[in-house]
Amino acid sequence: MEKFVVHGPCRLTGEVKISGAKNSAVAILPATLLVKGKCHLENVPNISDIRSYIEILESLGSKFEYISPNEFIIDNTNVNSAIASYELTSKFRASYYLLGALLGRFNEVQISLPGGCNLGARPIDQHIKAFEKLGATVEVKNGNVYAKKKDALKGAHIFLDVVSVGATMNAILAATLAEGTTIIENVAKEPHVVDLANFLNSLGANIKGAGTDTIKITGVKELKQVSCYSIIPDQIETGTFMVAAAATKGDVTITNCIPKHMEPITAKFREAGIEVYENGSSIRVKMDKRPNSFSIKTSPYPGFPTDMQPQMCILLAIANGTGIIVENIWESRFQYTDELVKMGADISAHGTTAIVKGVDKLYGSPVQSHDLRAGAAMIIAGLVCEGVTEVYNTHHILRGYENIVEKFNSLGANIEYVKDDTEGLAK
Ligand code: EPU
C-alpha cells in the first residue's frame, strides 16, 4: 500500500512554483477534439487525471508530440471514434467533458457515466438538459451515456437550474460549433470557465461573457489554432500552499499564480491575522503565531471555493478560538474531519456544518485521504503536528497535485512517498 510519510513539525520557507490548473486542463484537453488538426498546449499539469485524459484521447485516435511533460502538440486530425471505453472514462469525473466536445464533432457519442467520488451525489442532469436544449437526444442506459444529433446542434436559450462548473463548460463545448446563437444563464464563473472560453476563442470561437452570469456563444463553422495556448495557474494548488505556509508559521513566496483568483482566500487569511503580500504573479504568505479563528461558507466563484474547505479546516483546527464551516456544494465533504480528530483536533461535523475549536497541538497518526483536497489537508496537518503522520490513499492526491512531495520538501518539509511491498506478509 502506498503512503506519504510526513515527519512533523516543520516551518516552511522559500519559493514554490504553481503548476497549470487541473480543472482547466481537464476541459481544454477534450476541447481540442473540436479542431480537426493540431493544438499546442503549455503549462499542462503533469498529474494522473491528465495522464488518464491523454490515454482516453489516444484511444480515440489523437496523437501527442511532447516538447516537455507540461507542453505538447495534440493532433486530432485522425480522430474517428466517439465511443470512449468504459474502463478509461469511468475512472474519473471530468471524463464528462468528452460528451460536449465529441457531440460538437460527431453525430453519435458514447461514454460511461462519469466515475464515482467521495463528495456525495454528483448528478449530470444539467449537462444533459443543455445538450437536449441544443437539439441532441440523450439516453442513460447500462452505466453509459449515449448522446445523438441528427443534423448540426442548434443554438438555444439554456437556463441552468443550479450553478454548475461542469454543465457550464459542457454547454460551451457543445454550443461552440452549433448553428446560431446560444445563451446560457445562471452559469459558473470560475477561472477555469473563463480559461476554456479564452482557449476556444483563441481558436476562432465566438464566446462572450465568460466570468459573468450569462454566456453568449455565436456558433462558428470550424476552429483552428494559430498559436500555443498556456493554461492558467491552479487556484487550488496556490491556496493549498498558502495554507501550508500559514499553518507551519512559515514564510513562503508562491510564484506563477494569479492573486486575483485568490481573493476569497486572501480575505480570510487577513481576517485570521496572516500576512499576505501580492506582487504581480506571486503571493508571499508569512505567519508567526496561531491564527485567529474565522468562519467560511462555501459557494460558487467568486465565493469561497469548496475545494479549499478541507485545507482551511487545518488553520481552524490550530486557531485561537472556534470557527464554523458551512459546506454548500458537496453533501459529504466532512468525512476527513474524523481523520483530524484522530490527530487531536476538536471538530464536530453534522450535515452541512462543522464546528472547529482550535487546539494548541496536533499529533501524528495514520490517516486516510478521502478525496483529493482532503488528502492535501492531511499532508498539511502532518506538517503541523508533532510526530509522524502516514497518509494513505495517495492516488487521490496524485490525481491533482504535480510533484507535491518535491514541492513541499523544497520548502523544508520532510515527506517520503513509500510503497510498502511487504503488505499482506504480516497477515
Ligand atoms: N449539480 C447538479 N446537477 C448537475 C451538475 C451539478 O445538481 O448536472 C450540482 C452538484 O451536485 C453540486 C453543484 O451542482 O452540488 C455544483 O457542482 P458542479 O457541477 O459545479 O461541480 P463539478 O463540475 O462536477 C467541479 C470541479 C470540482 C469542484 C466543483 C465545484 C472539475 C473537474 N471538478 O466539479 O473539483 O469541487 O466544480 O467548484 O472541474 C476538485 O478539484 O477537487 C473538485 C472536486
Side-chain angles (χ1 to χ4, degrees):
M1 195 185 289
E2 292 143 14
K3 61 187 173 189
F4 289 129
V5 180
V6 187
H7 301 267
C10 74
R11 177 173 184 262
L12 298 183
T13 56
E15 203 173 287
V16 64
K17 187 176 172 219
I18 296 305
S19 299
K22 167 181 90 77
N23 290 345
S24 282
V26 293
I28 288 176
L29 258 107
T32 65
L33 288 165
L34 292 169
V35 179
K36 287 183 189 145
K38 292 184 179 182
C39 285
H40 185 171
L41 297 175
E42 64 176 10
N43 206 34
V44 186
N46 183 13
I47 50 178
S48 71
D49 266 8
I50 293 303
R51 291 191 290 274
S52 300
Y53 236 123
I54 290 171
E55 223 183 309
I56 295 176
L57 293 177
E58 282 176 335
S59 75
L60 298 174
S62 308
K63 299 269 177 270
F64 286 75
E65 184 191 319
Y66 288 90
I67 291 129
S68 78
N70 305 102
E71 181 179 354
F72 43 74
I73 294 164
I74 311 176
D75 187 351
N76 289 327
T77 313
N78 295 321
V79 170
N80 48 25
S81 165
I83 300 178
S85 103
Y86 175 84
E87 201 197 330
L88 297 175
T89 53
S90 59
K91 271 193 205 164
F92 68 119
R93 292 291 305 172
S95 56
Y96 50 41
Y97 292 127
L98 286 167
L99 278 172
L102 288 170
L103 199 53
R105 179 159 170 174
F106 296 97
N107 285 350
E108 290 192 22
V109 178
Q110 179 191 326
I111 73 159
S112 73
L113 268 176
C117 80
N118 297 331
L119 304 178
R122 294 190 74 170
I124 58 163
D125 57 302
Q126 297 304 303
H127 304 232
I128 293 175
K129 169 176 160 172
F131 300 144
E132 288 177 341
K133 284 273 179 189
L134 292 166
T137 51
V138 184
E139 200 184 356
V140 180
K141 208 172 61 184
N142 305 332
N144 288 317
V145 187
Y146 303 86
K148 280 186 194 170
K149 67 180 192 220
K150 265 208 186 113
D151 309 303
L153 294 173
K154 302 267 184 316
H157 195 139
I158 303 165
F159 195 102
L160 297 176
D161 300 344
V162 291
V163 177
S164 158
V165 170
T168 302
M169 306 241 259
N170 241 337
I172 292 174
L173 288 166
T176 293
L177 296 178
E179 279 174 5
T181 302
T182 298
I183 309 276
I184 321 168
E185 296 198 65
N186 196 29
V187 294
K189 295 179 275 202
E190 268 67 4
H192 25 291
V193 174
V194 178
D195 204 28
L196 174 67
N198 286 343
F199 170 65
L200 291 168
N201 283 340
S202 80
L203 308 175
N206 186 345
I207 303 166
K208 296 202 169 102
T212 73
D213 290 317
T214 305
I215 294 177
K216 181 178 172 191
I217 303 164
T218 309
V220 295
K221 283 215 154 35
E222 61 169 2
L223 300 177
K224 199 170 177 172
Q225 191 175 47
V226 284
S227 60
C228 173
Y229 189 83
S230 187
I231 288 174
I232 56 166
D234 198 298
Q235 178 204 28
I236 306 302
E237 189 196 9
T238 307
T240 301
F241 278 101
M242 288 174 72
V243 171
T248 61
K249 300 193 181 88
D251 183 353
V252 174
T253 299
I254 299 155
T255 63
N256 186 41
C257 63
I258 300 181
K260 174 87 189 144
H261 293 167
M262 307 314 299
E263 279 173 354
I265 295 144
T266 305
K268 282 293 154 194
F269 269 48
R270 294 197 169 125
E271 220 178 295
I274 302 163
E275 293 174 60
V276 183
Y277 306 97
E278 295 169 10
N279 183 6
S281 62
S282 68
I283 296 179
R284 180 178 171 200
V285 174
K286 195 166 170 258
M287 188 59 171
D288 56 10
K289 54 183 183 301
R290 286 171 68 185
N292 307 324
S293 60
F294 53 86
S295 292
I296 52 176
K297 289 182 181 168
T298 64
S299 59
Y301 191 83
F304 195 90
T306 174
D307 293 342
M308 278 303 298
Q309 186 256 96
Q311 301 90 312
M312 291 299 273
C313 187
I314 308 302
L315 286 178
L316 284 178
I318 54 165
N320 269 315
T322 300
I324 297 175
I325 303 176
V326 179
E327 171 58 51
N328 290 314
I329 310 290
W330 300 120
E331 60 189 19
S332 308
R333 206 163 205 174
F334 283 131
Q335 296 172 66
Y336 72 89
T337 57
D338 288 343
E339 306 300 312
L340 292 181
V341 169
K342 286 186 204 162
M343 300 174 94
D346 184 346
I347 306 174
S348 104
H350 297 286
T352 59
T353 305
I355 298 170
V356 190
K357 289 186 191 158
V359 296
D360 195 27
K361 273 197 174 129
L362 296 176
Y363 299 92
S365 154
V367 288
Q368 296 298 328
S369 154
H370 283 285
D371 64 72
L372 167 60
R373 308 307 172 182
M378 291 307 126
I379 292 185
I380 300 171
L383 297 174
V384 171
C385 72
E386 299 281 338
V388 176
T389 299
E390 292 175 347
V391 183
Y392 290 90
N393 280 329
T394 55
H395 65 280
H396 283 303
I397 303 172
L398 298 174
R399 276 186 41 222
Y401 287 94
E402 180 170 2
N403 297 334
I404 188 161
V405 171
E406 292 79 357
K407 287 189 185 187
F408 273 125
N409 286 349
S410 77
L411 296 172
N414 181 352
I415 307 177
E416 299 161 86
Y417 178 60
V418 176
K419 205 169 158 80
D420 185 1
D421 292 330
T422 60
E423 189 204 348
L425 291 182
K427 283 181 190 162

